[in-house]
């Protein structure tokens, strides 16, 4: 029997994900070769520092190099896996790989959210594949589900927990009642959060992932920097208590909806009905709820990060590309890339939602009346209200659905009232009725 043919891989990066790829390719080599009918062989590995002492996996030192260009243009490399991170060198490397006809796998959401249009256009022109399963929800095969599983459907809206660090912090705050800074420090000590966690807890990482999902689901191009984002840093332990009292939990959400002409896309913490599946997604797990025309609701859940889950997505992409290489060699036409048209993003003021509002007020008669009068003046109707008297008097209001611009104007006016002791805070509520 003849030896299976080899598909050559250049790994750019041997950190968490790159090391996972080496481990998986070694441990699952026989199964991968059997499924693919070809062997995936790592020809070269680009690192920043050749002499680094503590590598996560042992590799043949002769594979290591710091020369990215030489690694990409090797004749025996078919697929370049970009696993370095960042947007500058990664962009240069990916575009160079495409230019010389190499297929690309990347786990880099920031790269695709910033330079995705340029990269996909270059790949289409050169006739090569760019796969990116690991860039959104790590090991959860959400890109494949959306691109292939739902290829005949029309996605209407989606909502997900796509940042594991934020979800870990909010889940722990909800369970323990501890404040944000305290829980974040613990998450950093345990290695769940980066030394600089601002991209995660500030919503930027989730916005990058949402830009990729929006592009794929709604056949558009979306610059991630234009997505409205709010982090989880302002959530107070008392918000979890109120949320629970009304039948909700607080989750870090990425939300998108196709409105035809415009796209709604936003990242922020929100009150989620406690009886929804998304409410049960805790710790560092990721999940995406998708609503499509034919299938209706569907959910995807799993490990959104980590060495092996993420490497699994990268290697599966490499397997898929290898199949495409064989199909093209056999004369099959390449799969057509979906045509993407830029569409405007809906301003956050035009978004309609229900809201949770918390306001610190003086403990005096008539205060609630003043607050509700301002809300009424701005066309905001109230679904539920509680007033907690005492030293730290607070009014908490749940509204019916309203345009966000109206809500912001009303809160601006409320904050100027003499009876207000601490400025209003608000969170959006998803779901049409409390816990419904
Ligand atoms: P990492 O642990 O920091 O590893 C980065 C690797 O890239 C290192 O091996 C580093 O070399 C190499 N590298 C960085 N800059 C380089 C340069 N200028 N020239 C040559 N090599 C360079 O990162 P990671 O966690 O594996 O993440 C890689 C990518 O996967 C990122 O885009 C990330 O967003 C994405 N991702 C990660 C996860 C996860 O769970 N970690 C999940 C989903 C997606 P040295 O080893 O010599 O320093």
């Amino acid at each position: 029997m003849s030896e299976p043919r080899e598909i050559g891989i250049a790994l750019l990066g041997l950190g968490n994900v790159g090391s996972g790829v080496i481990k998986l390719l070694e441990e699952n080599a026989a199964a991968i070769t059997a499924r693919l009918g070809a062997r995936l062989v790592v020809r070269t590995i680009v690192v920043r520092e050749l002499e680094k002492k503590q590598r996560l996996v042992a590799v043949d030192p002769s594979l290591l190099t710091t020369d990215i260009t030489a690694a990409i243009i090797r004749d025996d490399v078919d697929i370049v896996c970009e696993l370095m991170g960042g947007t500058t060198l990664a962009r240069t490397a990916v575009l160079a790989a495409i230019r010389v006809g190499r297929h690309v796998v990347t786990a880099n959401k920031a790269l695709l959210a910033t330079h995705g249009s340029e990269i996909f256009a270059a790949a289409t022109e050169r006739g090569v594949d760019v796969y990116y399963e690991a860039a959104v929800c790590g090991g959860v095969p959400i890109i494949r589900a959306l691109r292939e599983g739902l290829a005949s459907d029309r996605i209407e809206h989606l909502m997900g927990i796509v940042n594991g660090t934020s979800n870990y912090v909010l889940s722990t705050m909800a369970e323990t009642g501890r404040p944000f800074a305290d829980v974040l420090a613990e998450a950093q000590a345990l290695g769940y959060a980066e030394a600089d966690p601002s991209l995660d807890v500030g919503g930027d990482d989730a916005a990058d992932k949402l830009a990729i999902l929006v592009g794929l689901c709604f056949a558009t191009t979306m610059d991630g920097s234009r997505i409205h984002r709010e982090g989880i840093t302002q959530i107070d332990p008392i918000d979890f208590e109120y949320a629970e009292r009304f039948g909700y939990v607080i989750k870090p959400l990425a939300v998108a909806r196709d409105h035809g002409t415009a796209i709604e896309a936003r990242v922020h913490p929100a009150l989620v009905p406690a009886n929804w599946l998304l409410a049960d997604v805790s710790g560092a797990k990721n999940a995406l709820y998708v609503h499509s025309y034919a299938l209706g609701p569907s959910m995807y859940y799993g490990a959104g990060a980590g060495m092996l889950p993420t490497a699994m997505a990268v290697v599966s992409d490499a397997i898929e590309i290898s199949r495409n290489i064989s199909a093209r060699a056999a004369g099959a036409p390449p799969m057509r890339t979906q045509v993407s048209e830029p569409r405007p993003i809906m301003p956050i003021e035009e978004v309609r939602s229900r809201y949770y509002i918390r306001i610190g007020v003086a403990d005096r008669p008539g205060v609630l009346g003043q607050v509700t009068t301002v809300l009424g003046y701005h066309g905001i109707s109230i679904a539920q209200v509680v007033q907690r008297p005492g030293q730290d008097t607070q009014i908490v209001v749940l509204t019916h659905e309203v345009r966000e611009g109206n809500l912001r104007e009303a809160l601006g006016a409320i904050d100027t009232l003499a009876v207000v002791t601490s400025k209003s805070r608000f969170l959006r509520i998803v779901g049409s009725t409390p816990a419904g």
Side-chain angles (χ1 to χ4, degrees):
M1 215 169 79
S2 64
E3 279 289 302
R5 79 188 192 93
E6 294 186 348
I7 301 281
I9 291 178
L11 278 192
L12 312 187
L14 186 62
N16 281 303
V17 184
S19 302
V21 168
I22 295 288
K23 199 167 148 61
L24 198 62
L25 283 176
E26 277 174 13
E27 288 175 0
N28 281 2
I32 291 170
T33 306
R35 279 178 206 144
L36 184 59
R39 270 180 3 105
L40 296 179
V41 182
V42 175
R43 309 279 192 208
T44 181
I45 305 170
V46 178
V47 291
R48 194 167 22 198
E49 207 186 313
L50 285 177
E51 305 300 329
K52 200 167 182 172
K53 289 278 177 296
Q54 287 181 325
R55 293 258 168 232
L56 296 168
V57 287
V59 290
D60 175 354
S62 71
L63 289 175
L64 296 179
T65 176
T66 55
D67 190 339
I68 297 190
T69 308
I72 288 171
I73 63 171
R74 281 175 69 122
D75 286 341
D76 57 357
V77 164
D78 303 283
I79 303 172
V80 170
C81 295
E82 185 282 303
L83 308 172
M84 298 183 294
T87 54
T88 309
L89 183 66
R91 170 182 169 271
T92 311
V94 164
L95 289 173
I98 292 170
R99 239 185 338 266
V100 294
R102 306 292 177 260
H103 304 282
V104 171
V105 177
T106 180
N108 191 334
K109 54 242 145 185
L111 174 71
L112 295 178
T114 320
H115 302 295
S117 307
E118 182 186 19
I119 288 169
F120 291 121
T124 304
E125 195 182 324
R126 189 66 176 76
V128 298
D129 294 333
V130 175
Y131 277 47
Y132 51 94
E133 184 63 74
V136 184
C137 296
V140 187
I142 183 67
I143 301 296
R144 198 154 282 121
L146 295 170
R147 194 182 50 211
E148 288 161 31
L150 299 180
S152 65
D153 211 341
R154 188 182 71 237
I155 293 164
E156 293 164 344
H157 64 99
L158 55 95
M159 187 186 299
I161 296 169
V162 298
N163 184 271
T165 305
S166 297
N167 198 38
Y168 174 84
V169 170
L170 288 188
S171 305
T172 309
M173 285 175 75
E175 273 164 32
T176 63
R178 284 158 53 204
F180 171 79
D182 192 15
V183 174
L184 180 63
E186 183 190 79
Q188 286 172 302
L190 291 169
Y192 293 138
E194 303 280 341
D196 173 8
S198 56
L199 292 181
D200 289 321
V201 299
D204 292 346
D205 174 80
D208 284 345
K209 292 168 179 166
L210 186 61
I212 296 169
L213 290 173
V214 163
L216 183 66
C217 293
F218 304 144
T220 186
T221 52
M222 171 72 56
D223 173 1
S225 66
R226 291 169 52 227
I227 291 181
H228 178 85
R229 78 220 41 202
E230 290 163 28
I232 59 167
T233 54
Q234 298 302 315
I235 309 275
D236 194 277
I238 192 77
D239 293 317
F240 292 97
E241 284 180 36
Y242 284 123
E244 190 180 348
R245 185 165 167 173
F246 291 118
Y248 295 94
V249 294
I250 303 174
K251 289 286 167 195
L253 289 191
V255 180
R257 186 180 289 270
D258 189 347
H259 288 275
T261 45
I263 301 285
E264 176 183 338
R266 47 196 165 95
V267 165
H268 51 72
L271 269 66
V272 173
N275 61 358
W276 277 21
L277 283 177
L278 274 179
D280 281 335
V281 177
S282 54
K285 287 286 194 288
N286 281 194
L288 194 70
Y289 164 90
V290 177
H291 197 280
S292 55
Y293 162 71
L295 177 62
S298 54
M299 278 277 289
Y300 310 85
Y301 167 86
M307 182 179 183
L308 280 179
T310 312
M312 185 280 295
V314 170
V315 175
S316 294
D317 276 352
I319 290 175
E320 196 66 32
I321 291 176
S322 304
R323 289 197 179 116
N324 295 345
I325 292 172
S326 303
R328 284 184 187 124
M335 204 166 90
R336 285 189 61 180
T337 323
Q338 137 177 290
V339 180
S340 296
E341 293 294 338
R343 276 197 278 165
I345 192 163
M346 183 182 260
I348 192 70
E349 291 76 15
E350 298 305 325
V351 164
R352 295 186 68 82
S353 176
R354 299 171 59 236
Y355 294 88
Y356 157 97
I357 307 165
R358 178 165 60 83
I359 312 159
V361 291
D363 191 9
R364 255 189 252 156
V367 172
L368 183 59
Q370 288 189 43
V371 169
T372 55
T373 301
V374 178
L375 291 174
Y377 177 78
H378 287 86
I380 299 165
S381 66
I382 295 169
Q384 278 169 282
V385 62
V386 291
Q387 183 167 10
R388 193 181 74 167
Q391 224 182 6
D392 177 21
T393 303
Q394 296 198 329
I395 291 176
V396 175
V397 177
L398 300 199
T399 75
H400 286 295
E401 191 179 283
V402 62
R403 181 181 161 274
E404 184 153 329
N406 292 35
L407 180 96
R408 288 174 180 256
E409 280 169 26
L411 295 184
I414 286 171
D415 287 344
T416 64
L417 295 174
V419 293
V420 168
T421 55
S422 64
K423 284 194 171 181
S424 57
R425 300 250 176 103
F426 74 86
L427 290 168
R428 296 166 192 86
I429 305 173
V430 297
S432 51
T433 54

